[in-house]
Amino acid sequence: MTLQIRPATPADVPVLVQLITALAEYEKLTHLLEITPEKLETQLFGPRPPAEAVLAEVGPPEARRVAGFALYFTNFSTFLCKPGLYLEDVFVLPEHRGQGIGKALLQHLAALAVERGCGRFEWSVLDWNEPAIRFYQAMGASVLPDWRICRVTGEALEQLAGRR
């Protein structure tokens, strides 16, 4: 298998939407999807893109097929006083799993974090996703037991902002 990991381009937006939809289906979260190609293109390639994406492709150069993606952004650690790389989503299509593509995506992003002088490379994992947890631990990641994600969205976000 020939594997290439490359930065996404605006031409990749339709396939990224398909991959994100497949991820939502896997996680049984399609009811939360608000993604459109237009929204995603603005967020990844607009004037101040808050996120970046890479695609994993397999096959010979003349017949490459997308096998997965990773979407990430820069965050910041006040304690380390350094930027960090936060992996929002990584997904490999079911027919391409077990071929080292997920590992290659994580290694690619870890190298990018080192190159950018990041102090951390972090991501979250759903507590029910035992195969992913075991995979991440095998890659050297610590699953932090004392930390919980806090999230404010929708009407609660509007209320917190004092707008409702």
Side-chain angles (χ1 to χ4, degrees):
M1 172 191 72
T2 303
L3 173 65
Q4 177 189 12
I5 296 174
R6 64 168 179 82
T9 68
D12 297 315
V13 167
V15 75
L16 281 166
V17 170
Q18 290 173 350
L19 289 164
I20 291 166
T21 301
L23 170 62
E25 289 168 355
Y26 173 75
E27 293 182 344
K28 297 179 181 20
L29 295 173
T30 54
H31 63 284
L32 298 177
L33 279 180
E34 295 183 16
I35 193 169
T36 66
E38 297 78 20
K39 283 183 183 179
L40 186 60
E41 184 165 355
T42 298
Q43 297 305 319
L44 293 180
F45 305 105
R48 284 190 61 192
E52 300 173 71
V54 293
L55 289 172
E57 297 177 324
V58 295
E62 66 278 1
R64 290 196 199 284
R65 297 176 321 281
V66 172
F69 82 104
L71 192 139
Y72 56 97
F73 57 88
T74 301
N75 62 11
F76 188 78
S77 168
T78 52
F79 285 13
L80 298 177
C81 199
K82 289 184 175 186
L85 197 76
Y86 188 86
L87 173 61
E88 178 66 22
D89 285 311
V90 61
F91 181 72
V92 176
L93 290 167
E95 62 268 25
H96 296 288
R97 292 184 188 149
Q99 301 173 21
I101 296 168
K103 180 178 181 178
L105 283 163
L106 289 178
Q107 289 172 326
H108 178 85
L109 294 181
L112 186 61
V114 170
E115 177 184 309
R116 293 181 179 183
C118 295
R120 294 179 177 159
F121 175 32
E122 297 177 308
W123 60 91
S124 300
V125 62
L126 292 167
D127 62 357
W128 59 260
N129 197 343
E130 284 297 325
I133 291 169
R134 286 192 303 274
F135 170 70
Y136 295 145
Q137 289 173 326
M139 295 287 298
S142 299
V143 178
L144 303 176
D146 299 330
W147 291 87
R148 299 290 184 262
I149 296 170
C150 298
R151 181 174 292 163
V152 182
T153 63
E155 189 175 316
L157 178 59
E158 292 289 331
Q159 286 179 336
L160 184 60
R163 304 218 175 172
R164 286 198 181 198

